Amino acid sequence: MEESASILTLPDVDRVHFKKNFIKTAVCELRFPALLEFETNPPTLLQKELRKDFPHYERQQSIRIDQPTEKEYKHLLRSKKGDWLVSFKSTSIALETGRYTHFENFLEQLELVLKRSLRFLDTDFFTRVGLRYINEIKIEDSVLDGWIRDDLIGPLSRGVYGTVERFIQEVRGHASSGKYTFRHGFVSDKPDLYSIDMDFYNETIEADQTLTKVTELNKESFKLFWWTIGPKIKERLGNPLPASETR
């Protein structure tokens, strides 16, 4: 962190579990120095190692943003029910789910993937460790007040902008756990859905410190989410679950 940079400052809050959540997608991406052999060859041994828990395989092809004339391959490994996804390419491996329940369950799956894949990645550190949560909030009463913190949507809810066709804000900065990108606003094609998208990350992390760092990122992410939401969302979350029901 730059010495002159100030960090994200949020009230402390105890992380708790709720029976309901609004997480559409949760993903942890681990980037590493490029493995040239996987730019053209499929990760056969890695796929075999993960096959028991992620038996469904497919390959995607895309154009590289930095080199538009070159193609990039991404290898997707899905769980039997399709609720967990491991994506792999020559510079990263990621775990993703659209059926997030609680962090301990997510961390357990990440630990499994990391344990089985690390030796194939041929690295003892990650160039970037990122944890991203994309929440989608349905504005049930068509009144934004009470759903999202007024500091974020005050002018919008008071009609200052007039009739708004699109509302998206992005903030990037430093946090105690690393850096963050925070995006919030209406999903463009669904005017009654409000998106809270938080990506916390850090760079140059030793492989054996990955899970510890992800836990730190998650703690700060929850603090930002709790600061962002209004009383209507907190009511929909319900009462916190006993610890015994989150294991």
Side-chain angles (χ1 to χ4, degrees):
M1 182 184 301
E2 293 89 339
E3 291 184 3
S4 61
S6 58
I7 65 172
L8 177 68
T9 303
L10 298 169
D12 286 330
V13 57
D14 292 330
R15 190 178 62 84
V16 293
H17 304 293
F18 298 95
K19 188 173 184 179
K20 179 181 176 62
N21 68 65
F22 298 93
I23 298 173
K24 179 182 179 181
T25 305
V27 56
C28 179
E29 182 191 50
L30 310 175
R31 298 181 188 175
F32 46 80
L35 283 166
L36 299 182
E37 62 182 289
F38 292 123
E39 290 190 354
T40 54
N41 299 325
T44 306
L45 294 179
L46 175 61
Q47 189 266 343
K48 184 177 181 180
E49 185 71 18
L50 294 172
R51 180 179 171 83
K52 180 179 178 181
D53 294 283
F54 304 91
H56 303 297
Y57 170 80
E58 62 180 285
R59 185 174 72 165
Q60 288 184 347
Q61 177 180 301
S62 60
I63 303 298
R64 293 184 57 166
I65 297 177
D66 57 338
Q67 299 181 34
T69 60
E70 295 189 15
K71 298 177 181 179
E72 183 177 53
Y73 293 97
K74 180 185 291 186
H75 307 275
L76 306 179
L77 306 173
R78 298 184 188 275
S79 62
K80 185 176 181 180
K81 295 182 179 180
D83 49 350
W84 292 93
L85 170 69
V86 174
S87 60
F88 176 83
K89 55 184 181 180
S90 62
T91 57
S92 69
I93 187 169
L95 175 69
E96 178 180 328
T97 183
R99 297 181 183 178
Y100 185 92
T101 54
H102 54 84
F103 178 67
E104 284 71 19
N105 177 240
F106 187 86
L107 192 68
E108 182 180 339
Q109 290 290 324
L110 179 63
E111 183 177 17
L112 180 149
V113 172
L114 186 61
K115 182 178 180 180
R116 295 186 181 179
S117 63
L118 189 57
R119 63 191 178 97
F120 300 103
L121 306 183
D122 192 29
T123 185
D124 57 4
F125 75 100
F126 292 106
T127 57
R128 185 184 190 275
V129 172
L131 181 64
R132 184 180 182 184
Y133 292 109
I134 302 175
N135 298 266
E136 282 194 357
I137 314 297
K138 184 174 178 59
I139 309 302
E140 301 171 8
D141 54 10
S142 301
V143 179
L144 194 54
D145 290 351
W147 292 96
I148 306 298
R149 189 180 186 90
D150 186 64
D151 302 67
L152 299 175
I153 50 86
L156 182 66
S157 63
R158 292 192 294 271
V160 174
Y161 299 135
T163 300
V164 174
E165 297 181 353
R166 182 176 176 84
F167 178 75
I168 296 289
Q169 292 186 338
E170 178 179 288
V171 181
R172 297 188 182 189
H174 295 265
S176 60
S177 58
K179 296 182 180 180
Y180 71 94
T181 300
F182 172 45
R183 304 179 185 90
H184 68 95
F186 282 106
V187 179
S188 58
D189 60 339
K190 299 177 181 179
D192 61 339
L193 289 182
Y194 199 93
S195 175
I196 301 174
D197 182 346
M198 304 170 295
D199 183 10
F200 282 81
Y201 62 95
N202 207 323
E203 298 171 334
T204 314
I205 303 298
E206 296 298 317
D208 61 1
Q209 293 298 308
T210 301
L211 299 180
T212 299
K213 177 53 64 177
V214 171
T215 300
E216 293 175 3
L217 298 174
N218 175 72
K219 182 178 180 180
E220 199 150 23
S221 180
F222 181 78
K223 287 170 62 176
L224 178 56
F225 174 76
W226 196 254
W227 180 84
T228 300
I229 63 177
K232 292 180 182 179
I233 295 181
K234 293 178 180 179
E235 181 181 351
R236 298 302 188 277
L237 289 171
N239 296 322
L241 293 174
S244 60
E245 294 186 31
T246 64
R247 302 291 178 178

